[in-house]
Amino acid sequence: LVKKICIMDGQPVCPRSSRKMRCPCGEVTYCSTACQKYHWTIHKMTCKHHAKKKEGNLKKKIVEEREKQIKAAQMNSAGRDLTEEQKNIARKEAFFSENNGRRHSMEECAWQLGEHPLVIGGGSVTYGPDGEEFVKGDVTKIYRERVGAEWDGTPRFGLKPYEQKKDPVDWIAKARQGKSQRLKDMEEKMRLMAGYDINF
């Protein structure tokens, strides 16, 4: 039976509006918002409407988390198909992007490649007659010397779960398309400089 009087003080209607307020679950009625708020701490434990809403939110959260994991797995599996040369193209682009002020580029690239951000962030770019060469960061050495910990080989060791903090960039696509125009121009300059030195 649906209660027709306020569960808190027994009044049949709200003294101000002359109306009753009923919880969406239909189990309880209140004569005022004050009574409803006061009783909510008790009623929320048995309220079917609240339970259903909570369950819906939980399901939504699970679906979202699963989609995120699937996307991460797809990204990481795509990164495994790349050659080391292709990965180095993406690493160099992210390295220079970050150093030019585009924050989180190295972390995002590393996440897509399925490796620790220090592979890029702890790395360096060397220049020679053959152009730019990327030297990967030694994650084991960095953790051992700077933190006093042994790296377990996982991509997010010592870090929080990855969060997208900027407009996404597809570093895998950049790696597959080969050297960017910036890289080609830089390598051409290096070749010219090397040739100039030899001829000089």
Side-chain angles (χ1 to χ4, degrees), residues 44-135:
K44 73 177 178 183
M45 292 185 276
T46 57
C47 180
K48 290 172 187 170
H49 176 74
H50 177 65
K52 200 172 182 181
K53 194 176 173 185
K54 199 174 176 182
E55 188 185 347
N57 288 341
L58 186 66
K59 281 180 182 174
K60 190 181 173 186
K61 198 174 178 182
I62 290 166
V63 168
E64 284 173 357
E65 192 59 40
R66 194 169 181 181
E67 283 173 358
K68 205 185 279 184
Q69 287 171 355
I70 289 166
K71 194 176 176 184
Q74 286 170 343
M75 283 286 193
N76 290 339
S77 64
R80 281 196 291 271
D81 294 340
L82 299 173
T83 65
E84 195 61 25
E85 188 182 346
Q86 286 174 319
K87 286 180 182 179
N88 276 339
I89 289 166
R91 289 170 185 142
K92 278 188 273 187
E93 287 294 334
F95 183 87
F96 285 114
S97 180
E98 184 99 16
N99 284 292
N100 286 330
R102 294 183 192 91
R103 295 181 67 203
H104 308 295
S105 295
M106 291 191 287
E107 189 177 5
E108 179 185 50
C109 180
W111 176 71
Q112 290 182 20
L113 294 176
E115 60 192 20
H116 199 283
L118 285 174
V119 171
I120 304 170
S124 60
V125 177
T126 60
Y127 298 92
D130 297 325
E132 294 175 335
E133 287 295 321
F134 186 80
V135 180

